[in-house]
PDB file of all heavy atoms in Angstrom:
ATOM      1  N   VAL A 251      -6.813 -18.166   9.401  1.00 96.00           N
ATOM      2  CA  VAL A 251      -5.923 -18.492   8.285  1.00 96.00           C
ATOM      3  C   VAL A 251      -6.515 -17.932   7.003  1.00 96.00           C
ATOM      4  O   VAL A 251      -7.597 -18.352   6.581  1.00 96.00           O
ATOM      5  CB  VAL A 251      -5.708 -20.006   8.151  1.00 96.00           C
ATOM      6  CG1 VAL A 251      -4.784 -20.294   6.964  1.00 96.00           C
ATOM      7  CG2 VAL A 251      -5.126 -20.583   9.435  1.00 96.00           C
ATOM      8  N   GLU A 252      -5.778 -16.984   6.402  1.00 96.00           N
ATOM      9  CA  GLU A 252      -6.237 -16.391   5.144  1.00 96.00           C
ATOM     10  C   GLU A 252      -5.728 -17.197   3.952  1.00 96.00           C
ATOM     11  O   GLU A 252      -4.681 -17.849   4.033  1.00 96.00           O
ATOM     12  CB  GLU A 252      -5.729 -14.948   4.996  1.00 96.00           C
ATOM     13  CG  GLU A 252      -6.149 -13.987   6.076  1.00 96.00           C
ATOM     14  CD  GLU A 252      -5.091 -13.817   7.140  1.00 96.00           C
ATOM     15  OE1 GLU A 252      -4.254 -14.733   7.295  1.00 96.00           O
ATOM     16  OE2 GLU A 252      -5.081 -12.779   7.812  1.00 96.00           O
ATOM     17  N   SER A 253      -6.463 -17.094   2.854  1.00 97.00           N
ATOM     18  CA  SER A 253      -6.039 -17.713   1.603  1.00 97.00           C
ATOM     19  C   SER A 253      -6.670 -16.946   0.445  1.00 97.00           C
ATOM     20  O   SER A 253      -7.583 -16.139   0.653  1.00 97.00           O
ATOM     21  CB  SER A 253      -6.449 -19.188   1.544  1.00 97.00           C
ATOM     22  OG  SER A 253      -7.855 -19.313   1.623  1.00 97.00           O
ATOM     23  N   GLY A 254      -6.161 -17.217  -0.752  1.00 97.00           N
ATOM     24  CA  GLY A 254      -6.763 -16.629  -1.947  1.00 97.00           C
ATOM     25  C   GLY A 254      -5.995 -15.475  -2.558  1.00 97.00           C
ATOM     26  O   GLY A 254      -6.382 -14.952  -3.600  1.00 97.00           O
ATOM     27  N   GLY A 255      -4.899 -15.060  -1.921  1.00 97.00           N
ATOM     28  CA  GLY A 255      -4.111 -13.990  -2.481  1.00 97.00           C
ATOM     29  C   GLY A 255      -3.349 -14.440  -3.719  1.00 97.00           C
ATOM     30  O   GLY A 255      -3.331 -15.629  -4.060  1.00 97.00           O
ATOM     31  N   GLY A 256      -2.718 -13.481  -4.383  1.00 97.00           N
ATOM     32  CA  GLY A 256      -1.937 -13.820  -5.561  1.00 97.00           C
ATOM     33  C   GLY A 256      -1.674 -12.603  -6.422  1.00 97.00           C
ATOM     34  O   GLY A 256      -1.872 -11.463  -5.992  1.00 97.00           O
ATOM     35  N   LEU A 257      -1.237 -12.880  -7.641  1.00 98.00           N
ATOM     36  CA  LEU A 257      -0.931 -11.840  -8.621  1.00 98.00           C
ATOM     37  C   LEU A 257      -2.093 -11.738  -9.608  1.00 98.00           C
ATOM     38  O   LEU A 257      -2.543 -12.763 -10.150  1.00 98.00           O
ATOM     39  CB  LEU A 257       0.357 -12.180  -9.355  1.00 98.00           C
ATOM     40  CG  LEU A 257       0.744 -11.282 -10.534  1.00 98.00           C
ATOM     41  CD1 LEU A 257       1.033  -9.867 -10.054  1.00 98.00           C
ATOM     42  CD2 LEU A 257       1.942 -11.877 -11.260  1.00 98.00           C
ATOM     43  N   VAL A 258      -2.569 -10.521  -9.829  1.00 98.00           N
ATOM     44  CA  VAL A 258      -3.686 -10.308 -10.750  1.00 98.00           C
ATOM     45  C   VAL A 258      -3.428  -9.025 -11.526  1.00 98.00           C
ATOM     46  O   VAL A 258      -2.786  -8.101 -11.015  1.00 98.00           O
ATOM     47  CB  VAL A 258      -5.017 -10.254  -9.971  1.00 98.00           C
ATOM     48  CG1 VAL A 258      -5.051  -9.085  -9.010  1.00 98.00           C
ATOM     49  CG2 VAL A 258      -6.210 -10.225 -10.910  1.00 98.00           C
ATOM     50  N   GLN A 259      -3.932  -8.986 -12.738  1.00 98.00           N
ATOM     51  CA  GLN A 259      -3.783  -7.786 -13.553  1.00 98.00           C
ATOM     52  C   GLN A 259      -4.778  -6.713 -13.132  1.00 98.00           C
ATOM     53  O   GLN A 259      -5.847  -7.030 -12.590  1.00 98.00           O
ATOM     54  CB  GLN A 259      -3.988  -8.128 -15.031  1.00 98.00           C
ATOM     55  CG  GLN A 259      -2.900  -9.006 -15.618  1.00 98.00           C
ATOM     56  CD  GLN A 259      -3.064  -9.191 -17.120  1.00 98.00           C
ATOM     57  OE1 GLN A 259      -4.133  -8.980 -17.678  1.00 98.00           O
ATOM     58  NE2 GLN A 259      -1.985  -9.599 -17.770  1.00 98.00           N
ATOM     59  N   PRO A 260      -4.451  -5.462 -13.380  1.00 98.00           N
ATOM     60  CA  PRO A 260      -5.419  -4.391 -13.102  1.00 98.00           C
ATOM     61  C   PRO A 260      -6.749  -4.668 -13.786  1.00 98.00           C
ATOM     62  O   PRO A 260      -6.793  -5.107 -14.935  1.00 98.00           O
ATOM     63  CB  PRO A 260      -4.739  -3.154 -13.678  1.00 98.00           C
ATOM     64  CG  PRO A 260      -3.276  -3.455 -13.586  1.00 98.00           C
ATOM     65  CD  PRO A 260      -3.170  -4.934 -13.866  1.00 98.00           C
ATOM     66  N   GLY A 261      -7.832  -4.420 -13.039  1.00 98.00           N
ATOM     67  CA  GLY A 261      -9.170  -4.717 -13.536  1.00 98.00           C
ATOM     68  C   GLY A 261      -9.648  -6.113 -13.215  1.00 98.00           C
ATOM     69  O   GLY A 261     -10.828  -6.422 -13.421  1.00 98.00           O
ATOM     70  N   GLY A 262      -8.757  -6.940 -12.709  1.00 98.00           N
ATOM     71  CA  GLY A 262      -9.109  -8.318 -12.390  1.00 98.00           C
ATOM     72  C   GLY A 262      -9.777  -8.459 -11.041  1.00 98.00           C
ATOM     73  O   GLY A 262     -10.048  -7.465 -10.349  1.00 98.00           O
ATOM     74  N   SER A 263     -10.039  -9.712 -10.677  1.00 98.00           N
ATOM     75  CA  SER A 263     -10.743 -10.016  -9.429  1.00 98.00           C
ATOM     76  C   SER A 263     -10.008 -11.090  -8.646  1.00 98.00           C
ATOM     77  O   SER A 263      -9.314 -11.937  -9.222  1.00 98.00           O
ATOM     78  CB  SER A 263     -12.166 -10.514  -9.727  1.00 98.00           C
ATOM     79  OG  SER A 263     -12.934  -9.530 -10.382  1.00 98.00           O
ATOM     80  N   LEU A 264     -10.179 -11.044  -7.358  1.00 98.00           N
ATOM     81  CA  LEU A 264      -9.709 -12.087  -6.445  1.00 98.00           C
ATOM     82  C   LEU A 264     -10.728 -12.232  -5.331  1.00 98.00           C
ATOM     83  O   LEU A 264     -11.420 -11.268  -4.989  1.00 98.00           O
ATOM     84  CB  LEU A 264      -8.356 -11.736  -5.822  1.00 98.00           C
ATOM     85  CG  LEU A 264      -7.083 -11.935  -6.628  1.00 98.00           C
ATOM     86  CD1 LEU A 264      -5.886 -11.426  -5.841  1.00 98.00           C
ATOM     87  CD2 LEU A 264      -6.882 -13.402  -6.994  1.00 98.00           C
ATOM     88  N   ARG A 265     -10.773 -13.430  -4.762  1.00 98.00           N
ATOM     89  CA  ARG A 265     -11.626 -13.662  -3.599  1.00 98.00           C
ATOM     90  C   ARG A 265     -10.752 -14.193  -2.481  1.00 98.00           C
ATOM     91  O   ARG A 265     -10.153 -15.267  -2.594  1.00 98.00           O
ATOM     92  CB  ARG A 265     -12.731 -14.650  -3.910  1.00 98.00           C
ATOM     93  CG  ARG A 265     -13.747 -14.814  -2.774  1.00 98.00           C
ATOM     94  CD  ARG A 265     -14.715 -15.926  -3.070  1.00 98.00           C
ATOM     95  NE  ARG A 265     -15.857 -15.918  -2.147  1.00 98.00           N
ATOM     96  CZ  ARG A 265     -16.386 -17.017  -1.625  1.00 98.00           C
ATOM     97  NH1 ARG A 265     -15.879 -18.196  -1.928  1.00 98.00           N
ATOM     98  NH2 ARG A 265     -17.430 -16.938  -0.821  1.00 98.00           N
ATOM     99  N   LEU A 266     -10.683 -13.438  -1.396  1.00 98.00           N
ATOM    100  CA  LEU A 266      -9.941 -13.862  -0.221  1.00 98.00           C
ATOM    101  C   LEU A 266     -10.873 -14.589   0.730  1.00 98.00           C
ATOM    102  O   LEU A 266     -12.043 -14.230   0.868  1.00 98.00           O
ATOM    103  CB  LEU A 266      -9.323 -12.661   0.490  1.00 98.00           C
ATOM    104  CG  LEU A 266      -8.410 -11.760  -0.335  1.00 98.00           C
ATOM    105  CD1 LEU A 266      -7.810 -10.676   0.559  1.00 98.00           C
ATOM    106  CD2 LEU A 266      -7.318 -12.551  -1.013  1.00 98.00           C
ATOM    107  N   SER A 267     -10.320 -15.604   1.381  1.00 98.00           N
ATOM    108  CA  SER A 267     -11.062 -16.353   2.387  1.00 98.00           C
ATOM    109  C   SER A 267     -10.269 -16.341   3.685  1.00 98.00           C
ATOM    110  O   SER A 267      -9.052 -16.282   3.681  1.00 98.00           O
ATOM    111  CB  SER A 267     -11.272 -17.805   1.940  1.00 98.00           C
ATOM    112  OG  SER A 267     -12.010 -17.881   0.749  1.00 98.00           O
ATOM    113  N   CYS A 268     -10.999 -16.401   4.773  1.00 97.00           N
ATOM    114  CA  CYS A 268     -10.374 -16.483   6.094  1.00 97.00           C
ATOM    115  C   CYS A 268     -11.156 -17.506   6.897  1.00 97.00           C
ATOM    116  O   CYS A 268     -12.352 -17.307   7.159  1.00 97.00           O
ATOM    117  CB  CYS A 268     -10.381 -15.128   6.773  1.00 97.00           C
ATOM    118  SG  CYS A 268      -9.708 -15.142   8.450  1.00 97.00           S
ATOM    119  N   ALA A 269     -10.488 -18.589   7.252  1.00 95.00           N
ATOM    120  CA  ALA A 269     -11.113 -19.654   8.017  1.00 95.00           C
ATOM    121  C   ALA A 269     -10.672 -19.550   9.467  1.00 95.00           C
ATOM    122  O   ALA A 269      -9.488 -19.356   9.759  1.00 95.00           O
ATOM    123  CB  ALA A 269     -10.727 -21.006   7.443  1.00 95.00           C
ATOM    124  N   ALA A 270     -11.629 -19.709  10.366  1.00 93.00           N
ATOM    125  CA  ALA A 270     -11.359 -19.562  11.794  1.00 93.00           C
ATOM    126  C   ALA A 270     -11.575 -20.869  12.530  1.00 93.00           C
ATOM    127  O   ALA A 270     -12.511 -21.620  12.222  1.00 93.00           O
ATOM    128  CB  ALA A 270     -12.259 -18.488  12.386  1.00 93.00           C
ATOM    129  N   SER A 271     -10.715 -21.111  13.493  1.00 90.00           N
ATOM    130  CA  SER A 271     -10.942 -22.203  14.422  1.00 90.00           C
ATOM    131  C   SER A 271     -11.441 -21.605  15.728  1.00 90.00           C
ATOM    132  O   SER A 271     -11.346 -20.405  15.947  1.00 90.00           O
ATOM    133  CB  SER A 271      -9.638 -22.974  14.676  1.00 90.00           C
ATOM    134  OG  SER A 271      -8.700 -22.117  15.299  1.00 90.00           O
ATOM    135  N   GLY A 272     -11.966 -22.431  16.596  1.00 79.00           N
ATOM    136  CA  GLY A 272     -12.460 -21.924  17.861  1.00 79.00           C
ATOM    137  C   GLY A 272     -13.967 -21.820  17.882  1.00 79.00           C
ATOM    138  O   GLY A 272     -14.644 -22.085  16.892  1.00 79.00           O
ATOM    139  N   THR A 273     -14.469 -21.408  19.022  1.00 77.00           N
ATOM    140  CA  THR A 273     -15.909 -21.379  19.217  1.00 77.00           C
ATOM    141  C   THR A 273     -16.429 -19.944  19.204  1.00 77.00           C
ATOM    142  O   THR A 273     -15.661 -18.988  19.202  1.00 77.00           O
ATOM    143  CB  THR A 273     -16.287 -22.031  20.547  1.00 77.00           C
ATOM    144  OG1 THR A 273     -15.620 -21.314  21.614  1.00 77.00           O
ATOM    145  CG2 THR A 273     -15.839 -23.476  20.586  1.00 77.00           C
ATOM    146  N   LEU A 274     -17.739 -19.821  19.201  1.00 79.00           N
ATOM    147  CA  LEU A 274     -18.420 -18.521  19.291  1.00 79.00           C
ATOM    148  C   LEU A 274     -18.075 -17.607  18.130  1.00 79.00           C
ATOM    149  O   LEU A 274     -18.113 -16.385  18.264  1.00 79.00           O
ATOM    150  CB  LEU A 274     -18.096 -17.813  20.622  1.00 79.00           C
ATOM    151  CG  LEU A 274     -18.480 -18.570  21.891  1.00 79.00           C
ATOM    152  CD1 LEU A 274     -18.038 -17.802  23.126  1.00 79.00           C
ATOM    153  CD2 LEU A 274     -19.979 -18.823  21.931  1.00 79.00           C
ATOM    154  N   PHE A 275     -17.754 -18.200  16.985  1.00 82.00           N
ATOM    155  CA  PHE A 275     -17.380 -17.396  15.818  1.00 82.00           C
ATOM    156  C   PHE A 275     -18.468 -16.389  15.468  1.00 82.00           C
ATOM    157  O   PHE A 275     -18.175 -15.262  15.067  1.00 82.00           O
ATOM    158  CB  PHE A 275     -17.131 -18.330  14.629  1.00 82.00           C
ATOM    159  CG  PHE A 275     -16.788 -17.623  13.358  1.00 82.00           C
ATOM    160  CD1 PHE A 275     -15.502 -17.182  13.118  1.00 82.00           C
ATOM    161  CD2 PHE A 275     -17.753 -17.406  12.379  1.00 82.00           C
ATOM    162  CE1 PHE A 275     -15.172 -16.536  11.935  1.00 82.00           C
ATOM    163  CE2 PHE A 275     -17.441 -16.760  11.196  1.00 82.00           C
ATOM    164  CZ  PHE A 275     -16.140 -16.330  10.977  1.00 82.00           C
ATOM    165  N   SER A 276     -19.721 -16.781  15.608  1.00 81.00           N
ATOM    166  CA  SER A 276     -20.820 -15.942  15.136  1.00 81.00           C
ATOM    167  C   SER A 276     -20.933 -14.610  15.863  1.00 81.00           C
ATOM    168  O   SER A 276     -21.546 -13.670  15.357  1.00 81.00           O
ATOM    169  CB  SER A 276     -22.146 -16.706  15.241  1.00 81.00           C
ATOM    170  OG  SER A 276     -22.428 -16.999  16.598  1.00 81.00           O
ATOM    171  N   ILE A 277     -20.347 -14.499  17.050  1.00 83.00           N
ATOM    172  CA  ILE A 277     -20.507 -13.254  17.805  1.00 83.00           C
ATOM    173  C   ILE A 277     -19.426 -12.227  17.490  1.00 83.00           C
ATOM    174  O   ILE A 277     -19.509 -11.086  17.920  1.00 83.00           O
ATOM    175  CB  ILE A 277     -20.528 -13.509  19.320  1.00 83.00           C
ATOM    176  CG1 ILE A 277     -19.122 -13.876  19.840  1.00 83.00           C
ATOM    177  CG2 ILE A 277     -21.549 -14.572  19.684  1.00 83.00           C
ATOM    178  CD1 ILE A 277     -19.047 -13.927  21.351  1.00 83.00           C
ATOM    179  N   TYR A 278     -18.421 -12.644  16.732  1.00 91.00           N
ATOM    180  CA  TYR A 278     -17.304 -11.747  16.474  1.00 91.00           C
ATOM    181  C   TYR A 278     -17.614 -10.752  15.363  1.00 91.00           C
ATOM    182  O   TYR A 278     -18.287 -11.086  14.375  1.00 91.00           O
ATOM    183  CB  TYR A 278     -16.062 -12.534  16.080  1.00 91.00           C
ATOM    184  CG  TYR A 278     -15.388 -13.230  17.242  1.00 91.00           C
ATOM    185  CD1 TYR A 278     -15.793 -14.498  17.641  1.00 91.00           C
ATOM    186  CD2 TYR A 278     -14.351 -12.622  17.929  1.00 91.00           C
ATOM    187  CE1 TYR A 278     -15.190 -15.130  18.702  1.00 91.00           C
ATOM    188  CE2 TYR A 278     -13.726 -13.257  18.990  1.00 91.00           C
ATOM    189  CZ  TYR A 278     -14.150 -14.514  19.371  1.00 91.00           C
ATOM    190  OH  TYR A 278     -13.542 -15.141  20.419  1.00 91.00           O
ATOM    191  N   VAL A 279     -17.085  -9.551  15.516  1.00 94.00           N
ATOM    192  CA  VAL A 279     -17.015  -8.626  14.395  1.00 94.00           C
ATOM    193  C   VAL A 279     -15.796  -9.038  13.577  1.00 94.00           C
ATOM    194  O   VAL A 279     -14.695  -9.202  14.122  1.00 94.00           O
ATOM    195  CB  VAL A 279     -16.860  -7.168  14.859  1.00 94.00           C
ATOM    196  CG1 VAL A 279     -16.677  -6.244  13.657  1.00 94.00           C
ATOM    197  CG2 VAL A 279     -18.068  -6.743  15.680  1.00 94.00           C
ATOM    198  N   LEU A 280     -15.991  -9.226  12.298  1.00 95.00           N
ATOM    199  CA  LEU A 280     -14.919  -9.683  11.420  1.00 95.00           C
ATOM    200  C   LEU A 280     -14.487  -8.552  10.502  1.00 95.00           C
ATOM    201  O   LEU A 280     -15.321  -7.744  10.067  1.00 95.00           O
ATOM    202  CB  LEU A 280     -15.393 -10.871  10.596  1.00 95.00           C
ATOM    203  CG  LEU A 280     -15.950 -12.038  11.405  1.00 95.00           C
ATOM    204  CD1 LEU A 280     -16.559 -13.082  10.484  1.00 95.00           C
ATOM    205  CD2 LEU A 280     -14.878 -12.654  12.280  1.00 95.00           C
ATOM    206  N   GLY A 281     -13.212  -8.516  10.230  1.00 95.00           N
ATOM    207  CA  GLY A 281     -12.735  -7.435   9.391  1.00 95.00           C
ATOM    208  C   GLY A 281     -11.592  -7.844   8.498  1.00 95.00           C
ATOM    209  O   GLY A 281     -10.900  -8.834   8.764  1.00 95.00           O
ATOM    210  N   TRP A 282     -11.434  -7.114   7.434  1.00 98.00           N
ATOM    211  CA  TRP A 282     -10.283  -7.227   6.546  1.00 98.00           C
ATOM    212  C   TRP A 282      -9.509  -5.914   6.615  1.00 98.00           C
ATOM    213  O   TRP A 282     -10.108  -4.824   6.534  1.00 98.00           O
ATOM    214  CB  TRP A 282     -10.717  -7.501   5.113  1.00 98.00           C
ATOM    215  CG  TRP A 282     -11.224  -8.886   4.889  1.00 98.00           C
ATOM    216  CD1 TRP A 282     -12.523  -9.300   4.896  1.00 98.00           C
ATOM    217  CD2 TRP A 282     -10.432 -10.052   4.648  1.00 98.00           C
ATOM    218  NE1 TRP A 282     -12.589 -10.656   4.668  1.00 98.00           N
ATOM    219  CE2 TRP A 282     -11.321 -11.134   4.499  1.00 98.00           C
ATOM    220  CE3 TRP A 282      -9.065 -10.298   4.515  1.00 98.00           C
ATOM    221  CZ2 TRP A 282     -10.890 -12.447   4.243  1.00 98.00           C
ATOM    222  CZ3 TRP A 282      -8.633 -11.589   4.261  1.00 98.00           C
ATOM    223  CH2 TRP A 282      -9.532 -12.642   4.129  1.00 98.00           C
ATOM    224  N   TYR A 283      -8.198  -6.047   6.757  1.00 98.00           N
ATOM    225  CA  TYR A 283      -7.295  -4.913   6.801  1.00 98.00           C
ATOM    226  C   TYR A 283      -6.184  -5.181   5.798  1.00 98.00           C
ATOM    227  O   TYR A 283      -5.995  -6.320   5.356  1.00 98.00           O
ATOM    228  CB  TYR A 283      -6.711  -4.739   8.202  1.00 98.00           C
ATOM    229  CG  TYR A 283      -7.729  -4.349   9.246  1.00 98.00           C
ATOM    230  CD1 TYR A 283      -8.662  -5.269   9.710  1.00 98.00           C
ATOM    231  CD2 TYR A 283      -7.765  -3.057   9.770  1.00 98.00           C
ATOM    232  CE1 TYR A 283      -9.607  -4.908  10.656  1.00 98.00           C
ATOM    233  CE2 TYR A 283      -8.701  -2.698  10.724  1.00 98.00           C
ATOM    234  CZ  TYR A 283      -9.620  -3.631  11.164  1.00 98.00           C
ATOM    235  OH  TYR A 283     -10.551  -3.271  12.098  1.00 98.00           O
ATOM    236  N   ARG A 284      -5.446  -4.152   5.465  1.00 98.00           N
ATOM    237  CA  ARG A 284      -4.323  -4.346   4.556  1.00 98.00           C
ATOM    238  C   ARG A 284      -3.186  -3.401   4.922  1.00 98.00           C
ATOM    239  O   ARG A 284      -3.400  -2.342   5.481  1.00 98.00           O
ATOM    240  CB  ARG A 284      -4.739  -4.128   3.103  1.00 98.00           C
ATOM    241  CG  ARG A 284      -5.145  -2.701   2.756  1.00 98.00           C
ATOM    242  CD  ARG A 284      -5.690  -2.639   1.341  1.00 98.00           C
ATOM    243  NE  ARG A 284      -6.050  -1.285   0.957  1.00 98.00           N
ATOM    244  CZ  ARG A 284      -6.687  -0.976  -0.174  1.00 98.00           C
ATOM    245  NH1 ARG A 284      -7.035  -1.937  -1.034  1.00 98.00           N
ATOM    246  NH2 ARG A 284      -6.966   0.296  -0.446  1.00 98.00           N
ATOM    247  N   ARG A 285      -1.987  -3.844   4.572  1.00 98.00           N
ATOM    248  CA  ARG A 285      -0.795  -3.022   4.761  1.00 98.00           C
ATOM    249  C   ARG A 285      -0.020  -3.024   3.461  1.00 98.00           C
ATOM    250  O   ARG A 285       0.492  -4.070   3.034  1.00 98.00           O
ATOM    251  CB  ARG A 285       0.079  -3.531   5.894  1.00 98.00           C
ATOM    252  CG  ARG A 285       1.361  -2.707   6.063  1.00 98.00           C
ATOM    253  CD  ARG A 285       2.197  -3.213   7.200  1.00 98.00           C
ATOM    254  NE  ARG A 285       1.642  -2.779   8.478  1.00 98.00           N
ATOM    255  CZ  ARG A 285       1.638  -3.536   9.565  1.00 98.00           C
ATOM    256  NH1 ARG A 285       2.103  -4.758   9.520  1.00 98.00           N
ATOM    257  NH2 ARG A 285       1.137  -3.068  10.693  1.00 98.00           N
ATOM    258  N   ALA A 286       0.045  -1.846   2.848  1.00 96.00           N
ATOM    259  CA  ALA A 286       0.820  -1.677   1.624  1.00 96.00           C
ATOM    260  C   ALA A 286       2.264  -1.374   1.989  1.00 96.00           C
ATOM    261  O   ALA A 286       2.543  -0.891   3.100  1.00 96.00           O
ATOM    262  CB  ALA A 286       0.227  -0.542   0.794  1.00 96.00           C
ATOM    263  N   PRO A 287       3.189  -1.632   1.097  1.00 91.00           N
ATOM    264  CA  PRO A 287       4.605  -1.353   1.385  1.00 91.00           C
ATOM    265  C   PRO A 287       4.812   0.097   1.801  1.00 91.00           C
ATOM    266  O   PRO A 287       4.361   1.016   1.130  1.00 91.00           O
ATOM    267  CB  PRO A 287       5.291  -1.656   0.054  1.00 91.00           C
ATOM    268  CG  PRO A 287       4.397  -2.632  -0.626  1.00 91.00           C
ATOM    269  CD  PRO A 287       3.006  -2.252  -0.232  1.00 91.00           C
ATOM    270  N   GLY A 288       5.479   0.280   2.936  1.00 93.00           N
ATOM    271  CA  GLY A 288       5.789   1.615   3.413  1.00 93.00           C
ATOM    272  C   GLY A 288       4.638   2.367   4.034  1.00 93.00           C
ATOM    273  O   GLY A 288       4.777   3.546   4.359  1.00 93.00           O
ATOM    274  N   LYS A 289       3.500   1.689   4.218  1.00 96.00           N
ATOM    275  CA  LYS A 289       2.319   2.359   4.785  1.00 96.00           C
ATOM    276  C   LYS A 289       1.839   1.624   6.026  1.00 96.00           C
ATOM    277  O   LYS A 289       2.201   0.482   6.283  1.00 96.00           O
ATOM    278  CB  LYS A 289       1.208   2.428   3.745  1.00 96.00           C
ATOM    279  CG  LYS A 289       1.539   3.274   2.542  1.00 96.00           C
ATOM    280  CD  LYS A 289       0.326   3.424   1.641  1.00 96.00           C
ATOM    281  CE  LYS A 289       0.627   4.329   0.449  1.00 96.00           C
ATOM    282  NZ  LYS A 289      -0.566   4.488  -0.437  1.00 96.00           N
ATOM    283  N   GLN A 290       0.996   2.314   6.775  1.00 97.00           N
ATOM    284  CA  GLN A 290       0.407   1.696   7.951  1.00 97.00           C
ATOM    285  C   GLN A 290      -0.752   0.783   7.540  1.00 97.00           C
ATOM    286  O   GLN A 290      -1.353   0.953   6.484  1.00 97.00           O
ATOM    287  CB  GLN A 290      -0.099   2.779   8.910  1.00 97.00           C
ATOM    288  CG  GLN A 290       1.008   3.587   9.564  1.00 97.00           C
ATOM    289  CD  GLN A 290       0.469   4.527  10.626  1.00 97.00           C
ATOM    290  OE1 GLN A 290      -0.667   4.970  10.557  1.00 97.00           O
ATOM    291  NE2 GLN A 290       1.292   4.813  11.618  1.00 97.00           N
ATOM    292  N   ARG A 291      -1.055  -0.153   8.417  1.00 96.00           N
ATOM    293  CA  ARG A 291      -2.201  -1.021   8.173  1.00 96.00           C
ATOM    294  C   ARG A 291      -3.475  -0.193   8.196  1.00 96.00           C
ATOM    295  O   ARG A 291      -3.638   0.681   9.053  1.00 96.00           O
ATOM    296  CB  ARG A 291      -2.246  -2.112   9.230  1.00 96.00           C
ATOM    297  CG  ARG A 291      -3.318  -3.156   8.988  1.00 96.00           C
ATOM    298  CD  ARG A 291      -3.065  -4.392   9.832  1.00 96.00           C
ATOM    299  NE  ARG A 291      -2.958  -4.112  11.240  1.00 96.00           N
ATOM    300  CZ  ARG A 291      -2.537  -4.982  12.143  1.00 96.00           C
ATOM    301  NH1 ARG A 291      -2.176  -6.206  11.751  1.00 96.00           N
ATOM    302  NH2 ARG A 291      -2.474  -4.657  13.416  1.00 96.00           N
ATOM    303  N   GLU A 292      -4.379  -0.485   7.285  1.00 97.00           N
ATOM    304  CA  GLU A 292      -5.616   0.274   7.192  1.00 97.00           C
ATOM    305  C   GLU A 292      -6.812  -0.666   7.077  1.00 97.00           C
ATOM    306  O   GLU A 292      -6.702  -1.791   6.590  1.00 97.00           O
ATOM    307  CB  GLU A 292      -5.603   1.210   5.972  1.00 97.00           C
ATOM    308  CG  GLU A 292      -5.524   0.501   4.640  1.00 97.00           C
ATOM    309  CD  GLU A 292      -5.628   1.445   3.454  1.00 97.00           C
ATOM    310  OE1 GLU A 292      -5.779   2.678   3.646  1.00 97.00           O
ATOM    311  OE2 GLU A 292      -5.568   0.966   2.310  1.00 97.00           O
ATOM    312  N   LEU A 293      -7.941  -0.159   7.529  1.00 97.00           N
ATOM    313  CA  LEU A 293      -9.180  -0.904   7.438  1.00 97.00           C
ATOM    314  C   LEU A 293      -9.633  -0.996   5.989  1.00 97.00           C
ATOM    315  O   LEU A 293      -9.583  -0.011   5.242  1.00 97.00           O
ATOM    316  CB  LEU A 293     -10.262  -0.203   8.265  1.00 97.00           C
ATOM    317  CG  LEU A 293     -11.689  -0.709   8.100  1.00 97.00           C
ATOM    318  CD1 LEU A 293     -11.830  -2.053   8.773  1.00 97.00           C
ATOM    319  CD2 LEU A 293     -12.675   0.294   8.671  1.00 97.00           C
ATOM    320  N   VAL A 294     -10.098  -2.179   5.597  1.00 98.00           N
ATOM    321  CA  VAL A 294     -10.680  -2.365   4.273  1.00 98.00           C
ATOM    322  C   VAL A 294     -12.192  -2.520   4.387  1.00 98.00           C
ATOM    323  O   VAL A 294     -12.954  -1.810   3.729  1.00 98.00           O
ATOM    324  CB  VAL A 294     -10.079  -3.587   3.567  1.00 98.00           C
ATOM    325  CG1 VAL A 294     -10.762  -3.836   2.221  1.00 98.00           C
ATOM    326  CG2 VAL A 294      -8.570  -3.413   3.383  1.00 98.00           C
ATOM    327  N   ALA A 295     -12.621  -3.451   5.240  1.00 98.00           N
ATOM    328  CA  ALA A 295     -14.053  -3.718   5.391  1.00 98.00           C
ATOM    329  C   ALA A 295     -14.299  -4.461   6.687  1.00 98.00           C
ATOM    330  O   ALA A 295     -13.424  -5.200   7.160  1.00 98.00           O
ATOM    331  CB  ALA A 295     -14.576  -4.549   4.218  1.00 98.00           C
ATOM    332  N   THR A 296     -15.475  -4.256   7.260  1.00 97.00           N
ATOM    333  CA  THR A 296     -15.882  -5.009   8.436  1.00 97.00           C
ATOM    334  C   THR A 296     -17.301  -5.526   8.248  1.00 97.00           C
ATOM    335  O   THR A 296     -18.087  -4.969   7.474  1.00 97.00           O
ATOM    336  CB  THR A 296     -15.835  -4.165   9.719  1.00 97.00           C
ATOM    337  OG1 THR A 296     -16.706  -3.039   9.572  1.00 97.00           O
ATOM    338  CG2 THR A 296     -14.429  -3.684  10.020  1.00 97.00           C
TER     339      THR A 296
END
């Protein structure tokens, strides 16, 4: 479950959070991806 999105002015900052349920969380590779309007989903960070 992601949270922290919103509207921000250029030059501003936001912090996104993603909370996970389930076990063995520590072994997973975690990543952030994004999809802009009219574009394919792309990797942001892992």
Side-chain angles (χ1 to χ4, degrees):
V251 179
E252 301 97 336
S253 61
L257 173 65
V258 63
Q259 292 186 341
S263 298
L264 281 176
R265 186 187 192 221
L266 304 184
S267 299
C268 177
S271 64
T273 59
L274 301 177
F275 178 81
S276 63
I277 73 171
Y278 285 87
V279 175
L280 305 173
W282 287 96
Y283 294 73
R284 66 187 182 188
R285 178 179 283 143
K289 296 187 177 180
Q290 291 187 332
R291 186 164 56 191
E292 63 175 359
L293 170 73
V294 176
T296 59

